[in-house]
Amino acid sequence: MIDLAKRDIEHTLGKFLVTAMGVGMLLGIVLIMIGVYRGMMVDAEILLDDISADLWIVQEDTLGPFAESSRVYEDLKDIIYVMEGIETSEAMTFQNIQLPRPEKPVRVVAVGYDIRGLINPVNPKRLIEGRDIKNDHYEIVVTDKTGFKLDDKIKLGRNFYTVVGITHSTVSNGGDPLVYISLKDAQDLQFSYSNKEIQNNEARGVKNSETFVVNVIVARVKTGYDVNDVAKEIRKWQHKSVYTAAQQKMILTKNLIEKSAKQIGLFTAILIVVSTIIIALIIYTMTLEKMKEISIMKLMGLPNLLIISMIVKETLLLGVFAFIFGNIFSHLTYDKFPKRIVLEIPDAWALFGVVIIASILASFVGVKKVISADPSAAIGG
Amino acid sequence: MQKETAIKVENLVKNFGKGDNLVKVIENASFEIKKGELVALIAPSGAGKTTLLMMIGCVQEPTSGEIWLGEDKVYDNRWTAKDTRKIRREKIGFIFQAHYLIPFLNIIENITLLPQTNKVSEKAAKQKAMELLEYLDIADKAHAMPSQLSGGQNQRVAIARALANNPQIILADEPTAALDAQRSISVIKMLKKIAEEQNVAIITVTHDDRILPYFDKIMKIENRGIIFHTLDAERII
Ligand SMILES: Nc1ncnc2c1ncn2[C@@H]1O[C@H](COP(=O)(O)OP(=O)(O)OP(=O)(O)O)[C@@H](O)[C@H]1O
Ligand SMILES: [Mg+2]
């Protein structure tokens, strides 16, 4: 049997391919949007995985350093350490800072950690140059995206910090580049006031004890202990909020990314609807252009099924070609975007399913036109 | 030898619209056409020639009456078959003023599309199509696209297409209107040859009295009925 859809497409190949490319770009953007979401998921977990703590102990009734500000005293680390089931505990700080650069300052998240502690957030696997911090003061490890090189001097607060190490692809949960500094330096930057202010506070009888504050105590649990039980104990005695690694992940993905996911989901849905409408319009005009032939086919006695299957097949082919172009487009462009984009094959297949359904829906307008075509209208006169 | 009946019509009525908008086009038309006859259908514009052809061709439903195609009664105040398209694709060939070839199919595909729908194998359909193209003297264009042929060549392809399903009846609505006198005569001669050699009944609507001498019979719609003319009548159009 003659493949009408194939013949028709061959006949209008240029137009068909251009349309498929146009729709393909829309689908490529859909894939990139999904990739942005996947990238956020990956980013969110990088720091958590690098720190790989079992427990996150934060200010009571707060969701922890990634969701809202949390302040706890540094010595809480020692109190936690002696609790049953705890193997190690460390204090850490997280703060947004700007690294000055000649062109434009870079916004980063600085992780402050105890350089002699047992929980080191600098993942050696991601360290591509230099070393982690060895001296208590004025050393910094930066991620390559910040643009700094080894031995660069960066002015933070009143002091110059030397870049001693470079990491690759470390980002905060929000996708900002990460830098690492010692806990002491971090506390200075985060909590110390100007000299004037300290003098004022002293005059008012307020002691400047803020530098003993950190954002979180992270802890690892001894093997054989259930993290949930240990967490429960700490909550009971220390009046702190305690999150297990799993809960921390939930907070990050659920609470923080959910909103973005909704936004991305909505954009994606709109783009898919737009693509469907474009496919439908193209198929409709392609059908309209063939109306005379379709009427003649009906008049000669060709069954509707033959004509409808031509329309549906053309629509599906348009969808499939657009999908292929979309994948090519997304793979050509994804690394040009500033934030991490993760293209996953299952997402592409899911989109493929959606495109097929959308194409079938889009073909309805053409099919309706075929069914209502009057065979005797073809021959007017 | 008595010729077999190809088309028989009795008391055929066709009205359009209702009430004040009622248009009576055909009233009580009755006639018979034998196999192998080439018949001209003439009448002034708007008299109902196309309408009559479309009713015989099972495209437009009459208001009432009876129609036989060969042995089969296809219309008995209503269609006797659920699927009139099957009748069309198996028994009837259509030719129009324009060729209406499918532009994205080549000549041979245009001709074999219908037979293949009728479950004729691709090979047999192609063979038959080539025979027809040779018969109509355009076999060299078998793999060309319709846009590459002249109007007259395309019209011959359209005739080949109408013959491809071995129809018992060919209905042609002004097939020569777009052609010059010489080509018109050659198309009619071709139809006459087909009617005789393939034993097909052909009704051809025409406004062109130069081609009338080639027809076996001349059928005229007059006062919403059918009358037959003899060729030696002085002037019929
Ligand atoms: N669908 C319709 N609805 C209403 N009236 C119609 C319809 N189709 C045809 N008619 C009317 O029926 C009459 C016959 O039309 P038809 O097309 O059969 O004429 P014709 O003899 O083929 O004319 P021409 O020589 O111009 O082709 C005309 O008066 C026309 O207005
Ligand atoms: Mg007409």
Side-chain angles (χ1 to χ4, degrees), chain A residues 233-265:
Chain A
E233 273 314 280
I234 299 172
R235 265 183 222 119
K236 194 156 125 199
W237 296 109
Q238 301 303 330
H239 303 290
K240 296 284 174 265
S241 288
V242 183
Y243 301 105
T244 63
Q247 286 169 329
Q248 188 63 261
K249 242 173 220 188
M250 274 283 272
I251 290 171
L252 275 177
T253 50
K254 260 240 148 81
N255 298 20
L256 297 181
I257 298 178
E258 207 162 65
K259 230 188 208 148
S260 319
K262 262 189 197 153
Q263 189 138 326
I264 288 172

PDB file of all heavy atoms in Angstrom, chain A residues 233-265:
ATOM      1  N   GLU A 233      16.958  11.907  71.386  1.00  0.00           N
ATOM      2  CA  GLU A 233      17.616  12.208  72.665  1.00  0.00           C
ATOM      3  C   GLU A 233      18.095  13.652  72.705  1.00  0.00           C
ATOM      4  O   GLU A 233      17.894  14.359  73.687  1.00  0.00           O
ATOM      5  CB  GLU A 233      18.837  11.285  72.866  1.00  0.00           C
ATOM      6  CG  GLU A 233      18.580   9.937  73.520  1.00  0.00           C
ATOM      7  CD  GLU A 233      17.683   9.994  74.762  1.00  0.00           C
ATOM      8  OE1 GLU A 233      18.179  10.334  75.840  1.00  0.00           O
ATOM      9  OE2 GLU A 233      16.480   9.704  74.623  1.00  0.00           O
ATOM     10  N   ILE A 234      18.742  14.076  71.607  1.00  0.00           N
ATOM     11  CA  ILE A 234      19.289  15.439  71.581  1.00  0.00           C
ATOM     12  C   ILE A 234      18.155  16.455  71.668  1.00  0.00           C
ATOM     13  O   ILE A 234      18.214  17.408  72.433  1.00  0.00           O
ATOM     14  CB  ILE A 234      20.119  15.679  70.303  1.00  0.00           C
ATOM     15  CG1 ILE A 234      21.292  14.705  70.249  1.00  0.00           C
ATOM     16  CG2 ILE A 234      20.639  17.111  70.235  1.00  0.00           C
ATOM     17  CD1 ILE A 234      22.072  14.723  68.949  1.00  0.00           C
ATOM     18  N   ARG A 235      17.096  16.189  70.933  1.00  0.00           N
ATOM     19  CA  ARG A 235      15.945  17.102  70.950  1.00  0.00           C
ATOM     20  C   ARG A 235      15.427  17.248  72.376  1.00  0.00           C
ATOM     21  O   ARG A 235      15.120  18.332  72.840  1.00  0.00           O
ATOM     22  CB  ARG A 235      14.827  16.530  70.070  1.00  0.00           C
ATOM     23  CG  ARG A 235      14.845  17.091  68.655  1.00  0.00           C
ATOM     24  CD  ARG A 235      13.679  16.569  67.829  1.00  0.00           C
ATOM     25  NE  ARG A 235      14.153  16.252  66.497  1.00  0.00           N
ATOM     26  CZ  ARG A 235      14.122  15.054  65.939  1.00  0.00           C
ATOM     27  NH1 ARG A 235      13.610  14.027  66.596  1.00  0.00           N
ATOM     28  NH2 ARG A 235      14.611  14.876  64.735  1.00  0.00           N
ATOM     29  N   LYS A 236      15.356  16.098  73.068  1.00  0.00           N
ATOM     30  CA  LYS A 236      14.767  16.058  74.401  1.00  0.00           C
ATOM     31  C   LYS A 236      15.601  16.895  75.379  1.00  0.00           C
ATOM     32  O   LYS A 236      15.055  17.648  76.167  1.00  0.00           O
ATOM     33  CB  LYS A 236      14.730  14.607  74.854  1.00  0.00           C
ATOM     34  CG  LYS A 236      13.846  14.363  76.050  1.00  0.00           C
ATOM     35  CD  LYS A 236      13.405  12.910  76.069  1.00  0.00           C
ATOM     36  CE  LYS A 236      13.745  12.244  77.382  1.00  0.00           C
ATOM     37  NZ  LYS A 236      13.749  10.779  77.252  1.00  0.00           N
ATOM     38  N   TRP A 237      16.922  16.771  75.317  1.00  0.00           N
ATOM     39  CA  TRP A 237      17.773  17.362  76.345  1.00  0.00           C
ATOM     40  C   TRP A 237      18.317  18.718  75.980  1.00  0.00           C
ATOM     41  O   TRP A 237      18.661  19.506  76.840  1.00  0.00           O
ATOM     42  CB  TRP A 237      18.928  16.397  76.681  1.00  0.00           C
ATOM     43  CG  TRP A 237      18.420  15.119  77.282  1.00  0.00           C
ATOM     44  CD1 TRP A 237      18.399  13.902  76.714  1.00  0.00           C
ATOM     45  CD2 TRP A 237      17.828  14.985  78.562  1.00  0.00           C
ATOM     46  NE1 TRP A 237      17.818  12.972  77.544  1.00  0.00           N
ATOM     47  CE2 TRP A 237      17.455  13.627  78.698  1.00  0.00           C
ATOM     48  CE3 TRP A 237      17.535  15.868  79.629  1.00  0.00           C
ATOM     49  CZ2 TRP A 237      16.830  13.120  79.832  1.00  0.00           C
ATOM     50  CZ3 TRP A 237      16.926  15.355  80.756  1.00  0.00           C
ATOM     51  CH2 TRP A 237      16.572  13.987  80.856  1.00  0.00           C
ATOM     52  N   GLN A 238      18.450  19.002  74.702  1.00  0.00           N
ATOM     53  CA  GLN A 238      19.172  20.227  74.336  1.00  0.00           C
ATOM     54  C   GLN A 238      18.271  21.333  73.812  1.00  0.00           C
ATOM     55  O   GLN A 238      18.751  22.416  73.526  1.00  0.00           O
ATOM     56  CB  GLN A 238      20.244  19.919  73.275  1.00  0.00           C
ATOM     57  CG  GLN A 238      21.267  18.897  73.708  1.00  0.00           C
ATOM     58  CD  GLN A 238      21.980  19.315  74.995  1.00  0.00           C
ATOM     59  OE1 GLN A 238      22.142  20.503  75.269  1.00  0.00           O
ATOM     60  NE2 GLN A 238      22.387  18.335  75.793  1.00  0.00           N
ATOM     61  N   HIS A 239      16.962  21.060  73.704  1.00  0.00           N
ATOM     62  CA  HIS A 239      16.066  22.083  73.164  1.00  0.00           C
ATOM     63  C   HIS A 239      16.583  22.648  71.849  1.00  0.00           C
ATOM     64  O   HIS A 239      16.722  23.847  71.684  1.00  0.00           O
ATOM     65  CB  HIS A 239      15.845  23.207  74.187  1.00  0.00           C
ATOM     66  CG  HIS A 239      15.306  22.689  75.464  1.00  0.00           C
ATOM     67  ND1 HIS A 239      14.036  22.202  75.572  1.00  0.00           N
ATOM     68  CD2 HIS A 239      15.879  22.535  76.670  1.00  0.00           C
ATOM     69  CE1 HIS A 239      13.835  21.770  76.804  1.00  0.00           C
ATOM     70  NE2 HIS A 239      14.945  21.945  77.498  1.00  0.00           N
ATOM     71  N   LYS A 240      16.951  21.753  70.991  1.00  0.00           N
ATOM     72  CA  LYS A 240      17.407  22.161  69.663  1.00  0.00           C
ATOM     73  C   LYS A 240      16.571  21.398  68.636  1.00  0.00           C
ATOM     74  O   LYS A 240      15.997  20.351  68.942  1.00  0.00           O
ATOM     75  CB  LYS A 240      18.885  21.804  69.446  1.00  0.00           C
ATOM     76  CG  LYS A 240      19.841  22.527  70.375  1.00  0.00           C
ATOM     77  CD  LYS A 240      20.032  23.972  69.947  1.00  0.00           C
ATOM     78  CE  LYS A 240      20.869  24.755  70.952  1.00  0.00           C
ATOM     79  NZ  LYS A 240      20.052  25.520  71.947  1.00  0.00           N
ATOM     80  N   SER A 241      16.542  21.925  67.448  1.00  0.00           N
ATOM     81  CA  SER A 241      15.950  21.144  66.355  1.00  0.00           C
ATOM     82  C   SER A 241      17.051  20.270  65.784  1.00  0.00           C
ATOM     83  O   SER A 241      18.181  20.736  65.571  1.00  0.00           O
ATOM     84  CB  SER A 241      15.412  22.060  65.265  1.00  0.00           C
ATOM     85  OG  SER A 241      14.241  22.701  65.733  1.00  0.00           O
ATOM     86  N   VAL A 242      16.716  19.001  65.565  1.00  0.00           N
ATOM     87  CA  VAL A 242      17.708  18.066  65.052  1.00  0.00           C
ATOM     88  C   VAL A 242      17.145  17.397  63.802  1.00  0.00           C
ATOM     89  O   VAL A 242      16.004  16.936  63.803  1.00  0.00           O
ATOM     90  CB  VAL A 242      18.048  16.989  66.100  1.00  0.00           C
ATOM     91  CG1 VAL A 242      19.133  16.064  65.559  1.00  0.00           C
ATOM     92  CG2 VAL A 242      18.490  17.622  67.399  1.00  0.00           C
ATOM     93  N   TYR A 243      17.947  17.403  62.749  1.00  0.00           N
ATOM     94  CA  TYR A 243      17.501  16.754  61.514  1.00  0.00           C
ATOM     95  C   TYR A 243      18.481  15.667  61.124  1.00  0.00           C
ATOM     96  O   TYR A 243      19.692  15.862  61.193  1.00  0.00           O
ATOM     97  CB  TYR A 243      17.380  17.768  60.371  1.00  0.00           C
ATOM     98  CG  TYR A 243      16.405  18.861  60.700  1.00  0.00           C
ATOM     99  CD1 TYR A 243      16.846  20.130  61.049  1.00  0.00           C
ATOM    100  CD2 TYR A 243      15.036  18.606  60.703  1.00  0.00           C
ATOM    101  CE1 TYR A 243      15.963  21.124  61.396  1.00  0.00           C
ATOM    102  CE2 TYR A 243      14.144  19.609  61.047  1.00  0.00           C
ATOM    103  CZ  TYR A 243      14.603  20.863  61.396  1.00  0.00           C
ATOM    104  OH  TYR A 243      13.713  21.846  61.744  1.00  0.00           O
ATOM    105  N   THR A 244      17.953  14.550  60.740  1.00  0.00           N
ATOM    106  CA  THR A 244      18.818  13.501  60.193  1.00  0.00           C
ATOM    107  C   THR A 244      19.188  13.913  58.765  1.00  0.00           C
ATOM    108  O   THR A 244      18.583  14.834  58.197  1.00  0.00           O
ATOM    109  CB  THR A 244      18.093  12.149  60.150  1.00  0.00           C
ATOM    110  OG1 THR A 244      16.985  12.295  59.273  1.00  0.00           O
ATOM    111  CG2 THR A 244      17.604  11.734  61.524  1.00  0.00           C
ATOM    112  N   ALA A 245      20.163  13.234  58.206  1.00  0.00           N
ATOM    113  CA  ALA A 245      20.592  13.568  56.844  1.00  0.00           C
ATOM    114  C   ALA A 245      19.403  13.486  55.885  1.00  0.00           C
ATOM    115  O   ALA A 245      19.221  14.341  55.017  1.00  0.00           O
ATOM    116  CB  ALA A 245      21.707  12.640  56.399  1.00  0.00           C
ATOM    117  N   ALA A 246      18.571  12.459  56.083  1.00  0.00           N
ATOM    118  CA  ALA A 246      17.416  12.277  55.203  1.00  0.00           C
ATOM    119  C   ALA A 246      16.444  13.441  55.340  1.00  0.00           C
ATOM    120  O   ALA A 246      15.913  13.948  54.344  1.00  0.00           O
ATOM    121  CB  ALA A 246      16.717  10.960  55.515  1.00  0.00           C
ATOM    122  N   GLN A 247      16.240  13.871  56.599  1.00  0.00           N
ATOM    123  CA  GLN A 247      15.314  14.994  56.816  1.00  0.00           C
ATOM    124  C   GLN A 247      15.873  16.282  56.227  1.00  0.00           C
ATOM    125  O   GLN A 247      15.136  17.092  55.659  1.00  0.00           O
ATOM    126  CB  GLN A 247      15.051  15.178  58.318  1.00  0.00           C
ATOM    127  CG  GLN A 247      14.138  14.102  58.889  1.00  0.00           C
ATOM    128  CD  GLN A 247      14.106  14.137  60.411  1.00  0.00           C
ATOM    129  OE1 GLN A 247      15.084  14.497  61.062  1.00  0.00           O
ATOM    130  NE2 GLN A 247      12.967  13.745  60.966  1.00  0.00           N
ATOM    131  N   GLN A 248      17.191  16.444  56.362  1.00  0.00           N
ATOM    132  CA  GLN A 248      17.827  17.638  55.816  1.00  0.00           C
ATOM    133  C   GLN A 248      17.650  17.682  54.292  1.00  0.00           C
ATOM    134  O   GLN A 248      17.360  18.713  53.702  1.00  0.00           O
ATOM    135  CB  GLN A 248      19.318  17.625  56.185  1.00  0.00           C
ATOM    136  CG  GLN A 248      20.046  18.897  55.849  1.00  0.00           C
ATOM    137  CD  GLN A 248      19.521  20.106  56.612  1.00  0.00           C
ATOM    138  OE1 GLN A 248      18.734  20.874  56.077  1.00  0.00           O
ATOM    139  NE2 GLN A 248      19.945  20.275  57.853  1.00  0.00           N
ATOM    140  N   LYS A 249      17.785  16.515  53.696  1.00  0.00           N
ATOM    141  CA  LYS A 249      17.586  16.422  52.245  1.00  0.00           C
ATOM    142  C   LYS A 249      16.156  16.805  51.875  1.00  0.00           C
ATOM    143  O   LYS A 249      15.901  17.517  50.899  1.00  0.00           O
ATOM    144  CB  LYS A 249      17.842  14.984  51.788  1.00  0.00           C
ATOM    145  CG  LYS A 249      18.999  14.910  50.821  1.00  0.00           C
ATOM    146  CD  LYS A 249      19.397  13.506  50.477  1.00  0.00           C
ATOM    147  CE  LYS A 249      20.911  13.460  50.422  1.00  0.00           C
ATOM    148  NZ  LYS A 249      21.459  12.209  49.929  1.00  0.00           N
ATOM    149  N   MET A 250      15.227  16.315  52.681  1.00  0.00           N
ATOM    150  CA  MET A 250      13.810  16.615  52.459  1.00  0.00           C
ATOM    151  C   MET A 250      13.572  18.108  52.531  1.00  0.00           C
ATOM    152  O   MET A 250      12.848  18.685  51.707  1.00  0.00           O
ATOM    153  CB  MET A 250      12.970  15.934  53.548  1.00  0.00           C
ATOM    154  CG  MET A 250      12.609  14.506  53.237  1.00  0.00           C
ATOM    155  SD  MET A 250      11.282  14.470  52.051  1.00  0.00           S
ATOM    156  CE  MET A 250       9.881  14.548  53.160  1.00  0.00           C
ATOM    157  N   ILE A 251      14.168  18.739  53.574  1.00  0.00           N
ATOM    158  CA  ILE A 251      13.969  20.182  53.742  1.00  0.00           C
ATOM    159  C   ILE A 251      14.459  20.905  52.492  1.00  0.00           C
ATOM    160  O   ILE A 251      13.783  21.783  51.955  1.00  0.00           O
ATOM    161  CB  ILE A 251      14.736  20.686  54.986  1.00  0.00           C
ATOM    162  CG1 ILE A 251      14.056  20.151  56.247  1.00  0.00           C
ATOM    163  CG2 ILE A 251      14.776  22.209  55.005  1.00  0.00           C
ATOM    164  CD1 ILE A 251      14.828  20.399  57.517  1.00  0.00           C
ATOM    165  N   LEU A 252      15.625  20.464  52.029  1.00  0.00           N
ATOM    166  CA  LEU A 252      16.195  21.120  50.856  1.00  0.00           C
ATOM    167  C   LEU A 252      15.343  20.911  49.624  1.00  0.00           C
ATOM    168  O   LEU A 252      15.010  21.858  48.910  1.00  0.00           O
ATOM    169  CB  LEU A 252      17.599  20.576  50.594  1.00  0.00           C
ATOM    170  CG  LEU A 252      18.696  21.253  51.396  1.00  0.00           C
ATOM    171  CD1 LEU A 252      20.016  20.582  51.111  1.00  0.00           C
ATOM    172  CD2 LEU A 252      18.762  22.722  51.023  1.00  0.00           C
ATOM    173  N   THR A 253      15.017  19.650  49.373  1.00  0.00           N
ATOM    174  CA  THR A 253      14.316  19.373  48.125  1.00  0.00           C
ATOM    175  C   THR A 253      12.862  19.800  48.217  1.00  0.00           C
ATOM    176  O   THR A 253      12.354  20.493  47.343  1.00  0.00           O
ATOM    177  CB  THR A 253      14.408  17.892  47.755  1.00  0.00           C
ATOM    178  OG1 THR A 253      14.038  17.115  48.880  1.00  0.00           O
ATOM    179  CG2 THR A 253      15.806  17.535  47.336  1.00  0.00           C
ATOM    180  N   LYS A 254      12.205  19.404  49.316  1.00  0.00           N
ATOM    181  CA  LYS A 254      10.772  19.715  49.439  1.00  0.00           C
ATOM    182  C   LYS A 254      10.533  21.200  49.594  1.00  0.00           C
ATOM    183  O   LYS A 254       9.915  21.822  48.760  1.00  0.00           O
ATOM    184  CB  LYS A 254      10.193  18.952  50.641  1.00  0.00           C
ATOM    185  CG  LYS A 254       9.454  17.708  50.217  1.00  0.00           C
ATOM    186  CD  LYS A 254       8.009  17.810  50.679  1.00  0.00           C
ATOM    187  CE  LYS A 254       7.094  17.104  49.725  1.00  0.00           C
ATOM    188  NZ  LYS A 254       7.029  15.679  49.909  1.00  0.00           N
ATOM    189  N   ASN A 255      11.081  21.738  50.702  1.00  0.00           N
ATOM    190  CA  ASN A 255      10.702  23.107  51.036  1.00  0.00           C
ATOM    191  C   ASN A 255      11.313  24.132  50.109  1.00  0.00           C
ATOM    192  O   ASN A 255      10.692  25.122  49.771  1.00  0.00           O
ATOM    193  CB  ASN A 255      11.124  23.436  52.465  1.00  0.00           C
ATOM    194  CG  ASN A 255      10.435  22.536  53.443  1.00  0.00           C
ATOM    195  OD1 ASN A 255       9.961  21.469  53.057  1.00  0.00           O
ATOM    196  ND2 ASN A 255      10.379  22.936  54.697  1.00  0.00           N
ATOM    197  N   LEU A 256      12.571  23.904  49.746  1.00  0.00           N
ATOM    198  CA  LEU A 256      13.255  24.955  49.012  1.00  0.00           C
ATOM    199  C   LEU A 256      13.074  24.815  47.508  1.00  0.00           C
ATOM    200  O   LEU A 256      12.918  25.792  46.797  1.00  0.00           O
ATOM    201  CB  LEU A 256      14.742  24.954  49.361  1.00  0.00           C
ATOM    202  CG  LEU A 256      15.022  25.251  50.831  1.00  0.00           C
ATOM    203  CD1 LEU A 256      16.508  25.258  51.093  1.00  0.00           C
ATOM    204  CD2 LEU A 256      14.408  26.591  51.225  1.00  0.00           C
ATOM    205  N   ILE A 257      13.106  23.574  47.017  1.00  0.00           N
ATOM    206  CA  ILE A 257      13.089  23.397  45.567  1.00  0.00           C
ATOM    207  C   ILE A 257      11.663  23.284  45.039  1.00  0.00           C
ATOM    208  O   ILE A 257      11.404  23.543  43.882  1.00  0.00           O
ATOM    209  CB  ILE A 257      13.950  22.179  45.183  1.00  0.00           C
ATOM    210  CG1 ILE A 257      15.379  22.455  45.622  1.00  0.00           C
ATOM    211  CG2 ILE A 257      13.909  21.906  43.694  1.00  0.00           C
ATOM    212  CD1 ILE A 257      16.343  21.366  45.368  1.00  0.00           C
ATOM    213  N   GLU A 258      10.751  22.941  45.953  1.00  0.00           N
ATOM    214  CA  GLU A 258       9.387  22.709  45.493  1.00  0.00           C
ATOM    215  C   GLU A 258       8.811  23.909  44.736  1.00  0.00           C
ATOM    216  O   GLU A 258       8.174  23.757  43.703  1.00  0.00           O
ATOM    217  CB  GLU A 258       8.487  22.371  46.668  1.00  0.00           C
ATOM    218  CG  GLU A 258       7.306  21.524  46.260  1.00  0.00           C
ATOM    219  CD  GLU A 258       6.688  20.836  47.453  1.00  0.00           C
ATOM    220  OE1 GLU A 258       6.164  21.557  48.315  1.00  0.00           O
ATOM    221  OE2 GLU A 258       6.745  19.597  47.525  1.00  0.00           O
ATOM    222  N   LYS A 259       9.078  25.092  45.281  1.00  0.00           N
ATOM    223  CA  LYS A 259       8.558  26.295  44.641  1.00  0.00           C
ATOM    224  C   LYS A 259       9.122  26.430  43.221  1.00  0.00           C
ATOM    225  O   LYS A 259       8.388  26.694  42.276  1.00  0.00           O
ATOM    226  CB  LYS A 259       8.924  27.515  45.465  1.00  0.00           C
ATOM    227  CG  LYS A 259       7.715  28.392  45.723  1.00  0.00           C
ATOM    228  CD  LYS A 259       8.115  29.686  46.372  1.00  0.00           C
ATOM    229  CE  LYS A 259       6.963  30.216  47.223  1.00  0.00           C
ATOM    230  NZ  LYS A 259       7.444  30.952  48.390  1.00  0.00           N
ATOM    231  N   SER A 260      10.431  26.242  43.132  1.00  0.00           N
ATOM    232  CA  SER A 260      11.051  26.328  41.810  1.00  0.00           C
ATOM    233  C   SER A 260      10.507  25.240  40.911  1.00  0.00           C
ATOM    234  O   SER A 260      10.284  25.458  39.719  1.00  0.00           O
ATOM    235  CB  SER A 260      12.561  26.160  41.916  1.00  0.00           C
ATOM    236  OG  SER A 260      13.031  26.858  43.010  1.00  0.00           O
ATOM    237  N   ALA A 261      10.277  24.073  41.499  1.00  0.00           N
ATOM    238  CA  ALA A 261       9.753  22.964  40.711  1.00  0.00           C
ATOM    239  C   ALA A 261       8.397  23.334  40.141  1.00  0.00           C
ATOM    240  O   ALA A 261       8.098  23.073  38.975  1.00  0.00           O
ATOM    241  CB  ALA A 261       9.645  21.715  41.570  1.00  0.00           C
ATOM    242  N   LYS A 262       7.586  23.981  40.961  1.00  0.00           N
ATOM    243  CA  LYS A 262       6.257  24.397  40.496  1.00  0.00           C
ATOM    244  C   LYS A 262       6.388  25.377  39.348  1.00  0.00           C
ATOM    245  O   LYS A 262       5.693  25.300  38.343  1.00  0.00           O
ATOM    246  CB  LYS A 262       5.494  25.053  41.642  1.00  0.00           C
ATOM    247  CG  LYS A 262       4.534  24.094  42.321  1.00  0.00           C
ATOM    248  CD  LYS A 262       3.657  24.831  43.297  1.00  0.00           C
ATOM    249  CE  LYS A 262       3.023  23.848  44.253  1.00  0.00           C
ATOM    250  NZ  LYS A 262       2.707  24.450  45.544  1.00  0.00           N
ATOM    251  N   GLN A 263       7.313  26.324  39.544  1.00  0.00           N
ATOM    252  CA  GLN A 263       7.533  27.338  38.521  1.00  0.00           C
ATOM    253  C   GLN A 263       7.973  26.683  37.214  1.00  0.00           C
ATOM    254  O   GLN A 263       7.425  26.959  36.147  1.00  0.00           O
ATOM    255  CB  GLN A 263       8.623  28.273  39.018  1.00  0.00           C
ATOM    256  CG  GLN A 263       8.798  29.483  38.169  1.00  0.00           C
ATOM    257  CD  GLN A 263       8.982  30.698  39.062  1.00  0.00           C
ATOM    258  OE1 GLN A 263       8.395  30.755  40.142  1.00  0.00           O
ATOM    259  NE2 GLN A 263       9.783  31.648  38.639  1.00  0.00           N
ATOM    260  N   ILE A 264       8.963  25.808  37.343  1.00  0.00           N
ATOM    261  CA  ILE A 264       9.487  25.134  36.158  1.00  0.00           C
ATOM    262  C   ILE A 264       8.409  24.257  35.538  1.00  0.00           C
ATOM    263  O   ILE A 264       8.235  24.213  34.327  1.00  0.00           O
ATOM    264  CB  ILE A 264      10.741  24.315  36.531  1.00  0.00           C
ATOM    265  CG1 ILE A 264      11.895  25.272  36.818  1.00  0.00           C
ATOM    266  CG2 ILE A 264      11.106  23.342  35.421  1.00  0.00           C
ATOM    267  CD1 ILE A 264      13.122  24.613  37.375  1.00  0.00           C
ATOM    268  N   GLY A 265       7.651  23.585  36.396  1.00  0.00           N
ATOM    269  CA  GLY A 265       6.574  22.714  35.917  1.00  0.00           C
ATOM    270  C   GLY A 265       5.556  23.500  35.115  1.00  0.00           C
ATOM    271  O   GLY A 265       5.101  23.070  34.050  1.00  0.00           O
TER     272      GLY A 265
END
